């Protein structure tokens, strides 16, 4: 009997089963492996997208990180951190470079503040060290416990809408209308209000397949849907040649489906370790650099907290208090992702909301994360792992997951306006700003004020007051930086 057969047939109570709590969480090895693969394909676009965000711009010294180098570092850190999180925290939450955080590094730290890439990555490392210290001290856990249940539910629903919007936008189903159009409508359906591209049509087909799989409770249905949609994508591209969206609005969003000319090669990891921890404080000044670190910490802190809350609820892994068992350990490992990401010049790594795709397909344990991590490591060498599957084939799963997470909206007490308004603002701000942290910040501030207005001062934990004040500073960091010059 082969090793794979032995693993697949491992009885409840076996070593692998006990370590990852597979049977305890109502899963199987096969389900975890499948879920890990689904999560990888839902997250793999980051290996293509992160290089476009931080790999193409020059810093004040003219240094460019480079697309191949950033792609390799992105896959490396995602692989290592996903495996580490799976083994230590034992949850199926994939880790990779955080979207929004990488834009903050590229646009604000390097583009506006004039830091070099090593200086910017040095601040990311410091950000990670602070978050790890907060997690070890138990402060992150205390913050989580101070959040009202209504806000936790709103965070989960908002993240669900955010996930769905990512899928709709990445597939081209929803597109932004350029400002030059002189219209008050910021987005539109497809192109000119119609499904006018083959890639978007493929997305629609994939969405129908995923919906059918969920309704029929087909085992591995979402994974099967991704595979079938990918095959359809390959066929469509072969016959119509839609190409890339960089060349035409009717092209594929990121990866153009097709069998590559080569299987890859040795990854270029030359940017790994190129970090300057104190250079930003010398260049920008202690006060300005400290404010930049504060911005990174607050965004990273609550982005991860909101994501882990939503994923834990989706997977039914939370206890009666709505908390993940051994949450402190998970928060420490997640915080370490920022340290490793900064040290490898791939930007801060955090729990990835797209892990919800694997959870929807049955993943419940850290074994799924190990599978996801191994695939990321292989992606450094074997290009087809992330270039064959277009985002249009994975995006339908994100929309399905968003609809499933929407079910938690019923647990919010909408009849009480001091609860309803903050919950509503949290839910809508996340997708509209493309930021989990922004949604949480708006929700925290509004809840604190509305509860105070409603005479519910005793329901406001002192930590809520503190975090609300910090978010006021966070939202004002632009003017504050301008004052500091």
């Amino acid at each position: 009997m082969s090793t794979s057969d032995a693993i697949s047939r491992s009885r409840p109570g076996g070593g692998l089963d006990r370590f990852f709590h597979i049977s305890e969480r109502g899963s199987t090895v096969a389900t975890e492996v499948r879920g890990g693969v689904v999560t990888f394909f839902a997250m793999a676009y980051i290996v293509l997208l992160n290089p476009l965000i931080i790999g193409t711009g020059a810093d004040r010294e003219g240094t460019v990180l480079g697309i191949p180098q950033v792609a390799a570092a992105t896959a490396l850190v995602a692989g290592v951190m996903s495996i580490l999180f799976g083994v230590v925290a034992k949850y199926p939450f994939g880790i990779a470079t955080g979207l929004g955080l990488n834009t903050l590094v590229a646009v604000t730290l390097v583009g506006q503040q004039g830091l070099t890439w090593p200086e910017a990555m040095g601040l990311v490392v410091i950000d990670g060290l602070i978050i790890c210290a907060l997690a070890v001290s138990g402060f992150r856990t205390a913050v989580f416990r101070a959040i009202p249940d209504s806000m936790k539910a709103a965070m989960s629903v908002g993240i669900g809408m955010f996930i769905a919007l990512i899928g709709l936008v990445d597939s081209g189903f929803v597109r932004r209308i350029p400002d030059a159009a002189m219209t008050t409508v910021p987005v539109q359906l497809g192109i000119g209000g119609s499904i006018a591209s083959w890639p978007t049509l493929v997305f629609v087909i994939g969405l129908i397949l995923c919906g059918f799989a969920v309704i029929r409770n087909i085992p591995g249905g979402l994974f099967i849907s991704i595979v079938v949609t990918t095959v359809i994508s390959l066929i469509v591209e072969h016959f119509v040649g839609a190409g890339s969206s960089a060349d035409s609005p009717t092209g594929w969003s990121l990866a153009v489906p097709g069998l590559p000319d080569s299987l890859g090669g040795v990854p270029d990891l030359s940017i790994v370790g190129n970090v300057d921890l104190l250079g930003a404080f010398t260049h920008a000044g202690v006060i300005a650099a400290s404010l930049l670190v504060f911005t990174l910490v607050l965004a990273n802190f609550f982005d991860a907290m909101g994501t882990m809350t939503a994923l834990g609820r989706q997977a039914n892994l939370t206890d009666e208090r709505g908390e993940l068992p051994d949450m402190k350990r998970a928060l420490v490992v997640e915080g370490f992702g920022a340290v490793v990401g900064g040290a490898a010049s791939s930007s801060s790594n955090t729990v990835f909301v797209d892990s919800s795709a694997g959870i929807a397909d049955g993943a419940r344990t850290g074994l799924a994360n190990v599978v996801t991590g191994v695939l990321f490591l292989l992606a450094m060498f074997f290009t087809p792992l992330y270039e064959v599957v277009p985002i249009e084939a994975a995006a339908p799963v994100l929309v399905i997951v968003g609809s499933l997470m929407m079910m938690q909206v019923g647990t919010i007490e909408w009849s009480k306006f001091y609860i309803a308004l903050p919950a509503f603002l949290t839910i809508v701000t996340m997708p509209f700003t493309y930021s989990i942290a922004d949604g949480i910040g708006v929700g925290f501030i509004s809840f604190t004020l509305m509860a105070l207005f409603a005479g519910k001062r005793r329901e406001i934990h002192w930590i809520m007051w503190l975090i609300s004040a910090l978010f006021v500073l966070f939202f004002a960091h632009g003017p504050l930086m301008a004052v500091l010059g």
Side-chain angles (χ1 to χ4, degrees), residues 280-334:
F281 293 89
T282 301
H283 172 74
V286 175
I287 296 177
S290 298
L291 186 57
L292 292 173
V293 171
F294 167 76
T295 303
L296 284 170
V297 169
L298 210 60
N300 210 340
F301 188 106
F302 286 99
D303 186 72
M305 178 166 292
T307 301
M308 290 178 66
T309 298
L311 295 178
R313 282 173 170 249
Q314 181 194 359
N316 293 320
L317 296 176
T318 53
D319 58 22
E320 63 279 358
R321 294 192 300 180
E323 298 179 11
L324 288 167
D326 296 322
M327 182 170 61
K328 181 176 180 180
R329 180 189 304 173
L331 292 172
V332 172
V333 178
E334 187 281 329

Tab-separated table of all heavy atoms in Angstrom, residues 280-334:
chain	number	residue	atom	x	y	z
A	280	ALA	N	14.351	54.321	7.896
A	280	ALA	CA	13.189	55.198	7.764
A	280	ALA	C	13.185	56.275	8.831
A	280	ALA	O	12.752	57.410	8.589
A	280	ALA	CB	11.904	54.376	7.836
A	281	PHE	N	13.652	55.949	10.017
A	281	PHE	CA	13.686	56.923	11.103
A	281	PHE	C	14.731	58.007	10.828
A	281	PHE	O	14.551	59.164	11.216
A	281	PHE	CB	13.989	56.218	12.431
A	281	PHE	CG	12.888	55.293	12.879
A	281	PHE	CD1	12.870	53.972	12.471
A	281	PHE	CD2	11.874	55.754	13.698
A	281	PHE	CE1	11.857	53.118	12.870
A	281	PHE	CE2	10.854	54.910	14.102
A	281	PHE	CZ	10.842	53.582	13.688
A	282	THR	N	15.794	57.635	10.143
A	282	THR	CA	16.813	58.613	9.767
A	282	THR	C	16.319	59.505	8.643
A	282	THR	O	16.511	60.728	8.672
A	282	THR	CB	18.103	57.899	9.325
A	282	THR	OG1	18.580	57.080	10.400
A	282	THR	CG2	19.175	58.908	8.936
A	283	HIS	N	15.656	58.902	7.646
A	283	HIS	CA	15.224	59.661	6.475
A	283	HIS	C	13.999	60.522	6.761
A	283	HIS	O	13.984	61.718	6.420
A	283	HIS	CB	14.903	58.701	5.321
A	283	HIS	CG	14.281	59.377	4.135
A	283	HIS	ND1	15.007	60.166	3.272
A	283	HIS	CD2	12.997	59.397	3.679
A	283	HIS	CE1	14.205	60.646	2.330
A	283	HIS	NE2	12.977	60.194	2.555
A	284	ALA	N	12.969	59.935	7.371
A	284	ALA	CA	11.700	60.652	7.566
A	284	ALA	C	11.605	61.345	8.918
A	284	ALA	O	10.738	62.198	9.113
A	284	ALA	CB	10.529	59.693	7.394
A	285	GLY	N	12.473	60.978	9.842
A	285	GLY	CA	12.372	61.511	11.191
A	285	GLY	C	11.639	60.543	12.099
A	285	GLY	O	10.809	59.755	11.646
A	286	VAL	N	11.947	60.624	13.394
A	286	VAL	CA	11.388	59.666	14.348
A	286	VAL	C	9.867	59.771	14.436
A	286	VAL	O	9.157	58.765	14.427
A	286	VAL	CB	12.016	59.873	15.744
A	286	VAL	CG1	11.339	58.959	16.775
A	286	VAL	CG2	13.508	59.599	15.703
A	287	ILE	N	9.342	61.002	14.503
A	287	ILE	CA	7.894	61.178	14.674
A	287	ILE	C	7.140	60.685	13.443
A	287	ILE	O	6.166	59.929	13.545
A	287	ILE	CB	7.551	62.655	14.943
A	287	ILE	CG1	8.167	63.108	16.272
A	287	ILE	CG2	6.038	62.858	14.964
A	287	ILE	CD1	7.931	64.569	16.588
A	288	ALA	N	7.585	61.096	12.254
A	288	ALA	CA	6.909	60.688	11.024
A	288	ALA	C	6.993	59.179	10.826
A	288	ALA	O	6.003	58.529	10.458
A	288	ALA	CB	7.508	61.416	9.829
A	289	ALA	N	8.174	58.602	11.051
A	289	ALA	CA	8.337	57.152	10.885
A	289	ALA	C	7.484	56.394	11.897
A	289	ALA	O	6.899	55.355	11.575
A	289	ALA	CB	9.809	56.770	11.039
A	290	SER	N	7.387	56.918	13.108
A	290	SER	CA	6.562	56.275	14.127
A	290	SER	C	5.095	56.298	13.738
A	290	SER	O	4.352	55.332	13.966
A	290	SER	CB	6.754	56.967	15.479
A	290	SER	OG	8.104	56.871	15.914
A	291	LEU	N	4.651	57.411	13.131
A	291	LEU	CA	3.264	57.503	12.675
A	291	LEU	C	2.994	56.512	11.549
A	291	LEU	O	1.915	55.910	11.481
A	291	LEU	CB	2.961	58.924	12.204
A	291	LEU	CG	1.504	59.223	11.823
A	291	LEU	CD1	0.565	58.918	12.975
A	291	LEU	CD2	1.345	60.674	11.382
A	292	LEU	N	3.983	56.308	10.687
A	292	LEU	CA	3.838	55.318	9.615
A	292	LEU	C	3.731	53.909	10.190
A	292	LEU	O	2.930	53.099	9.724
A	292	LEU	CB	5.025	55.412	8.655
A	292	LEU	CG	5.110	56.680	7.803
A	292	LEU	CD1	6.427	56.713	7.022
A	292	LEU	CD2	3.927	56.772	6.848
A	293	VAL	N	4.532	53.622	11.214
A	293	VAL	CA	4.459	52.309	11.869
A	293	VAL	C	3.090	52.133	12.522
A	293	VAL	O	2.478	51.063	12.435
A	293	VAL	CB	5.577	52.161	12.930
A	293	VAL	CG1	5.368	50.894	13.752
A	293	VAL	CG2	6.943	52.123	12.263
A	294	PHE	N	2.599	53.174	13.181
A	294	PHE	CA	1.270	53.137	13.810
A	294	PHE	C	0.197	52.805	12.776
A	294	PHE	O	-0.700	51.985	13.031
A	294	PHE	CB	0.981	54.483	14.470
A	294	PHE	CG	-0.453	54.668	14.879
A	294	PHE	CD1	-0.958	54.040	16.009
A	294	PHE	CD2	-1.307	55.469	14.131
A	294	PHE	CE1	-2.290	54.214	16.385
A	294	PHE	CE2	-2.630	55.634	14.489
A	294	PHE	CZ	-3.121	55.011	15.626
A	295	THR	N	0.290	53.429	11.598
A	295	THR	CA	-0.683	53.168	10.532
A	295	THR	C	-0.629	51.711	10.090
A	295	THR	O	-1.663	51.061	9.910
A	295	THR	CB	-0.402	54.094	9.325
A	295	THR	OG1	-0.448	55.454	9.760
A	295	THR	CG2	-1.435	53.876	8.228
A	296	LEU	N	0.573	51.184	9.918
A	296	LEU	CA	0.742	49.786	9.527
A	296	LEU	C	0.174	48.840	10.585
A	296	LEU	O	-0.531	47.885	10.273
A	296	LEU	CB	2.219	49.472	9.303
A	296	LEU	CG	2.874	49.978	8.017
A	296	LEU	CD1	4.387	49.788	8.089
A	296	LEU	CD2	2.306	49.243	6.808
A	297	VAL	N	0.493	49.133	11.850
A	297	VAL	CA	0.051	48.260	12.948
A	297	VAL	C	-1.475	48.218	13.026
A	297	VAL	O	-2.071	47.142	13.113
A	297	VAL	CB	0.634	48.737	14.293
A	297	VAL	CG1	-0.043	48.012	15.463
A	297	VAL	CG2	2.135	48.492	14.341
A	298	LEU	N	-2.106	49.384	12.977
A	298	LEU	CA	-3.559	49.416	13.118
A	298	LEU	C	-4.249	48.711	11.947
A	298	LEU	O	-5.201	47.950	12.138
A	298	LEU	CB	-4.041	50.869	13.219
A	298	LEU	CG	-5.315	51.079	14.049
A	298	LEU	CD1	-5.096	50.603	15.478
A	298	LEU	CD2	-5.724	52.546	14.050
A	299	ALA	N	-3.755	48.963	10.726
A	299	ALA	CA	-4.344	48.312	9.554
A	299	ALA	C	-4.148	46.805	9.619
A	299	ALA	O	-5.074	46.023	9.378
A	299	ALA	CB	-3.736	48.882	8.282
A	300	ASN	N	-2.934	46.384	9.955
A	300	ASN	CA	-2.608	44.957	10.011
A	300	ASN	C	-3.360	44.261	11.135
A	300	ASN	O	-3.922	43.172	10.956
A	300	ASN	CB	-1.097	44.800	10.225
A	300	ASN	CG	-0.554	43.530	9.608
A	300	ASN	OD1	-1.282	42.596	9.340
A	300	ASN	ND2	0.742	43.503	9.381
A	301	PHE	N	-3.383	44.906	12.290
A	301	PHE	CA	-4.005	44.348	13.495
A	301	PHE	C	-5.465	43.988	13.250
A	301	PHE	O	-5.908	42.867	13.501
A	301	PHE	CB	-3.883	45.392	14.613
A	301	PHE	CG	-4.303	44.922	15.978
A	301	PHE	CD1	-3.363	44.646	16.948
A	301	PHE	CD2	-5.644	44.789	16.310
A	301	PHE	CE1	-3.746	44.230	18.223
A	301	PHE	CE2	-6.042	44.374	17.571
A	301	PHE	CZ	-5.083	44.094	18.530
A	302	PHE	N	-6.230	44.948	12.747
A	302	PHE	CA	-7.669	44.732	12.624
A	302	PHE	C	-8.058	44.037	11.329
A	302	PHE	O	-9.104	43.390	11.261
A	302	PHE	CB	-8.412	46.055	12.791
A	302	PHE	CG	-8.431	46.524	14.213
A	302	PHE	CD1	-7.528	47.477	14.653
A	302	PHE	CD2	-9.305	45.974	15.125
A	302	PHE	CE1	-7.522	47.885	15.973
A	302	PHE	CE2	-9.307	46.371	16.446
A	302	PHE	CZ	-8.408	47.338	16.879
A	303	ASP	N	-7.243	44.148	10.313
A	303	ASP	CA	-7.492	43.388	9.098
A	303	ASP	C	-7.463	41.893	9.417
A	303	ASP	O	-8.354	41.136	9.011
A	303	ASP	CB	-6.430	43.731	8.041
A	303	ASP	CG	-6.731	43.088	6.703
A	303	ASP	OD1	-7.677	43.523	6.032
A	303	ASP	OD2	-6.001	42.148	6.329
A	304	ALA	N	-6.427	41.479	10.159
A	304	ALA	CA	-6.292	40.068	10.525
A	304	ALA	C	-7.375	39.634	11.500
A	304	ALA	O	-7.947	38.540	11.378
A	304	ALA	CB	-4.911	39.821	11.139
A	305	MET	N	-7.688	40.491	12.467
A	305	MET	CA	-8.696	40.126	13.462
A	305	MET	C	-10.065	39.932	12.819
A	305	MET	O	-10.788	38.974	13.117
A	305	MET	CB	-8.775	41.200	14.554
A	305	MET	CG	-9.822	40.931	15.613
A	305	MET	SD	-9.630	41.971	17.076
A	305	MET	CE	-8.107	41.327	17.758
A	306	GLY	N	-10.424	40.846	11.925
A	306	GLY	CA	-11.707	40.712	11.248
A	306	GLY	C	-11.769	39.473	10.385
A	306	GLY	O	-12.780	38.755	10.360
A	307	THR	N	-10.676	39.192	9.684
A	307	THR	CA	-10.637	38.022	8.807
A	307	THR	C	-10.733	36.728	9.595
A	307	THR	O	-11.491	35.819	9.235
A	307	THR	CB	-9.346	38.023	7.963
A	307	THR	OG1	-9.295	39.219	7.186
A	307	THR	CG2	-9.305	36.819	7.043
A	308	MET	N	-9.972	36.630	10.687
A	308	MET	CA	-10.005	35.411	11.488
A	308	MET	C	-11.366	35.211	12.137
A	308	MET	O	-11.846	34.083	12.273
A	308	MET	CB	-8.895	35.457	12.545
A	308	MET	CG	-7.502	35.320	11.938
A	308	MET	SD	-6.163	35.430	13.148
A	308	MET	CE	-6.428	33.961	14.111
A	309	THR	N	-12.012	36.303	12.529
A	309	THR	CA	-13.361	36.204	13.092
A	309	THR	C	-14.328	35.619	12.073
A	309	THR	O	-15.098	34.694	12.362
A	309	THR	CB	-13.857	37.602	13.521
A	309	THR	OG1	-12.998	38.122	14.533
A	309	THR	CG2	-15.278	37.517	14.057
A	310	ALA	N	-14.266	36.161	10.859
A	310	ALA	CA	-15.186	35.705	9.810
A	310	ALA	C	-14.916	34.258	9.420
A	310	ALA	O	-15.848	33.455	9.270
A	310	ALA	CB	-15.058	36.615	8.590
A	311	LEU	N	-13.645	33.900	9.237
A	311	LEU	CA	-13.308	32.537	8.829
A	311	LEU	C	-13.663	31.530	9.918
A	311	LEU	O	-14.149	30.430	9.626
A	311	LEU	CB	-11.818	32.444	8.486
A	311	LEU	CG	-11.341	33.266	7.281
A	311	LEU	CD1	-9.834	33.105	7.090
A	311	LEU	CD2	-12.073	32.834	6.009
A	312	GLY	N	-13.412	31.897	11.176
A	312	GLY	CA	-13.749	31.002	12.279
A	312	GLY	C	-15.239	30.737	12.371
A	312	GLY	O	-15.677	29.606	12.594
A	313	ARG	N	-16.032	31.778	12.175
A	313	ARG	CA	-17.486	31.613	12.197
A	313	ARG	C	-17.952	30.782	11.011
A	313	ARG	O	-18.842	29.933	11.143
A	313	ARG	CB	-18.165	32.986	12.172
A	313	ARG	CG	-18.157	33.707	13.507
A	313	ARG	CD	-18.692	35.127	13.385
A	313	ARG	NE	-18.890	35.727	14.705
A	313	ARG	CZ	-20.064	36.014	15.235
A	313	ARG	NH1	-21.171	35.767	14.560
A	313	ARG	NH2	-20.160	36.551	16.442
A	314	GLN	N	-17.374	31.035	9.841
A	314	GLN	CA	-17.774	30.287	8.650
A	314	GLN	C	-17.511	28.793	8.820
A	314	GLN	O	-18.315	27.953	8.408
A	314	GLN	CB	-17.015	30.801	7.424
A	314	GLN	CG	-17.399	30.065	6.133
A	314	GLN	CD	-16.412	30.334	5.016
A	314	GLN	OE1	-15.447	31.087	5.186
A	314	GLN	NE2	-16.624	29.707	3.865
A	315	ALA	N	-16.371	28.460	9.446
A	315	ALA	CA	-15.993	27.054	9.618
A	315	ALA	C	-16.609	26.426	10.867
A	315	ALA	O	-16.362	25.247	11.149
A	315	ALA	CB	-14.466	26.941	9.687
A	316	ASN	N	-17.400	27.200	11.622
A	316	ASN	CA	-18.004	26.710	12.872
A	316	ASN	C	-16.950	26.217	13.858
A	316	ASN	O	-17.135	25.188	14.528
A	316	ASN	CB	-19.017	25.593	12.581
A	316	ASN	CG	-20.226	26.086	11.821
A	316	ASN	OD1	-20.741	27.170	12.087
A	316	ASN	ND2	-20.680	25.291	10.859
A	317	LEU	N	-15.851	26.952	13.944
A	317	LEU	CA	-14.757	26.569	14.833
A	317	LEU	C	-14.734	27.399	16.114
A	317	LEU	O	-13.894	27.160	16.981
A	317	LEU	CB	-13.411	26.724	14.105
A	317	LEU	CG	-13.198	25.815	12.890
A	317	LEU	CD1	-11.875	26.149	12.205
A	317	LEU	CD2	-13.218	24.344	13.313
A	318	THR	N	-15.617	28.378	16.236
A	318	THR	CA	-15.624	29.237	17.413
A	318	THR	C	-16.416	28.592	18.548
A	318	THR	O	-17.293	27.765	18.322
A	318	THR	CB	-16.245	30.603	17.077
A	318	THR	OG1	-17.539	30.409	16.482
A	318	THR	CG2	-15.371	31.361	16.089
A	319	ASP	N	-16.079	29.000	19.781
A	319	ASP	CA	-16.775	28.461	20.947
A	319	ASP	C	-18.015	29.294	21.259
A	319	ASP	O	-18.425	30.148	20.465
A	319	ASP	CB	-15.826	28.399	22.151
A	319	ASP	CG	-15.237	29.761	22.500
A	319	ASP	OD1	-15.844	30.795	22.131
A	319	ASP	OD2	-14.165	29.809	23.142
A	320	GLU	N	-18.597	29.054	22.450
A	320	GLU	CA	-19.828	29.744	22.803
A	320	GLU	C	-19.643	31.253	22.953
A	320	GLU	O	-20.594	32.031	22.863
A	320	GLU	CB	-20.415	29.161	24.105
A	320	GLU	CG	-19.551	29.313	25.333
A	320	GLU	CD	-18.449	28.247	25.421
A	320	GLU	OE1	-18.409	27.376	24.522
A	320	GLU	OE2	-17.663	28.288	26.385
A	321	ARG	N	-18.392	31.691	23.172
A	321	ARG	CA	-18.117	33.126	23.265
A	321	ARG	C	-17.753	33.731	21.908
A	321	ARG	O	-17.420	34.908	21.821
A	321	ARG	CB	-16.974	33.377	24.253
A	321	ARG	CG	-17.276	33.045	25.688
A	321	ARG	CD	-16.221	33.579	26.633
A	321	ARG	NE	-14.890	33.031	26.353
A	321	ARG	CZ	-13.802	33.353	27.055
A	321	ARG	NH1	-13.892	34.232	28.043
A	321	ARG	NH2	-12.639	32.805	26.764
A	322	GLY	N	-17.822	32.900	20.871
A	322	GLY	CA	-17.471	33.389	19.547
A	322	GLY	C	-15.977	33.476	19.315
A	322	GLY	O	-15.519	34.178	18.408
A	323	GLU	N	-15.186	32.759	20.113
A	323	GLU	CA	-13.730	32.813	20.016
A	323	GLU	C	-13.173	31.509	19.466
A	323	GLU	O	-13.755	30.433	19.649
A	323	GLU	CB	-13.106	33.071	21.391
A	323	GLU	CG	-13.488	34.393	22.021
A	323	GLU	CD	-12.868	34.577	23.391
A	323	GLU	OE1	-11.977	33.767	23.755
A	323	GLU	OE2	-13.265	35.505	24.109
A	324	LEU	N	-12.037	31.611	18.821
A	324	LEU	CA	-11.322	30.425	18.368
A	324	LEU	C	-10.534	29.833	19.529
A	324	LEU	O	-9.842	30.568	20.248
A	324	LEU	CB	-10.348	30.783	17.241
A	324	LEU	CG	-10.944	31.129	15.878
A	324	LEU	CD1	-9.868	31.765	15.002
A	324	LEU	CD2	-11.493	29.888	15.208
A	325	PRO	N	-10.607	28.529	19.757
A	325	PRO	CA	-9.749	27.911	20.770
A	325	PRO	C	-8.278	28.166	20.428
A	325	PRO	O	-7.897	28.189	19.259
A	325	PRO	CB	-10.098	26.416	20.666
A	325	PRO	CG	-11.486	26.398	20.089
A	325	PRO	CD	-11.533	27.572	19.145
A	326	ASP	N	-7.465	28.387	21.438
A	326	ASP	CA	-6.032	28.682	21.244
A	326	ASP	C	-5.840	29.894	20.329
A	326	ASP	O	-4.916	29.938	19.511
A	326	ASP	CB	-5.309	27.469	20.650
A	326	ASP	CG	-5.321	26.264	21.576
A	326	ASP	OD1	-5.201	26.462	22.794
A	326	ASP	OD2	-5.462	25.131	21.076
A	327	MET	N	-6.720	30.871	20.488
A	327	MET	CA	-6.663	32.044	19.629
A	327	MET	C	-5.348	32.806	19.801
A	327	MET	O	-4.802	33.354	18.839
A	327	MET	CB	-7.844	32.969	19.916
A	327	MET	CG	-7.908	34.201	19.027
A	327	MET	SD	-9.460	35.106	19.198
A	327	MET	CE	-9.408	35.544	20.940
A	328	LYS	N	-4.823	32.863	21.017
A	328	LYS	CA	-3.590	33.598	21.268
A	328	LYS	C	-2.453	33.063	20.423
A	328	LYS	O	-1.681	33.823	19.829
A	328	LYS	CB	-3.234	33.522	22.756
A	328	LYS	CG	-1.978	34.289	23.126
A	328	LYS	CD	-1.742	34.236	24.632
A	328	LYS	CE	-0.486	34.993	25.026
A	328	LYS	NZ	-0.261	34.945	26.497
A	329	ARG	N	-2.363	31.727	20.340
A	329	ARG	CA	-1.310	31.109	19.536
A	329	ARG	C	-1.471	31.484	18.068
A	329	ARG	O	-0.498	31.818	17.387
A	329	ARG	CB	-1.360	29.589	19.701
A	329	ARG	CG	-0.293	28.838	18.912
A	329	ARG	CD	-0.540	27.343	18.944
A	329	ARG	NE	-0.622	26.837	20.304
A	329	ARG	CZ	-0.959	25.591	20.611
A	329	ARG	NH1	-1.292	24.744	19.647
A	329	ARG	NH2	-0.992	25.190	21.856
A	330	ALA	N	-2.702	31.454	17.580
A	330	ALA	CA	-2.956	31.797	16.186
A	330	ALA	C	-2.597	33.246	15.904
A	330	ALA	O	-2.031	33.573	14.848
A	330	ALA	CB	-4.425	31.539	15.846
A	331	LEU	N	-2.897	34.144	16.839
A	331	LEU	CA	-2.609	35.557	16.647
A	331	LEU	C	-1.106	35.834	16.633
A	331	LEU	O	-0.630	36.699	15.895
A	331	LEU	CB	-3.291	36.384	17.748
A	331	LEU	CG	-4.822	36.427	17.694
A	331	LEU	CD1	-5.377	37.106	18.947
A	331	LEU	CD2	-5.296	37.146	16.439
A	332	VAL	N	-0.364	35.099	17.439
A	332	VAL	CA	1.095	35.278	17.458
A	332	VAL	C	1.706	34.846	16.127
A	332	VAL	O	2.534	35.559	15.542
A	332	VAL	CB	1.730	34.469	18.617
A	332	VAL	CG1	3.255	34.497	18.505
A	332	VAL	CG2	1.297	35.029	19.967
A	333	VAL	N	1.280	33.684	15.634
A	333	VAL	CA	1.819	33.197	14.359
A	333	VAL	C	1.433	34.139	13.228
A	333	VAL	O	2.246	34.449	12.350
A	333	VAL	CB	1.312	31.767	14.058
A	333	VAL	CG1	1.848	31.288	12.711
A	333	VAL	CG2	1.741	30.809	15.160
A	334	GLU	N	0.180	34.610	13.239
A	334	GLU	CA	-0.252	35.538	12.195
A	334	GLU	C	0.576	36.812	12.222
A	334	GLU	O	0.975	37.329	11.175
A	334	GLU	CB	-1.739	35.863	12.402
A	334	GLU	CG	-2.369	36.696	11.289
A	334	GLU	CD	-2.046	38.174	11.399
A	334	GLU	OE1	-1.867	38.666	12.546
A	334	GLU	OE2	-1.947	38.840	10.338
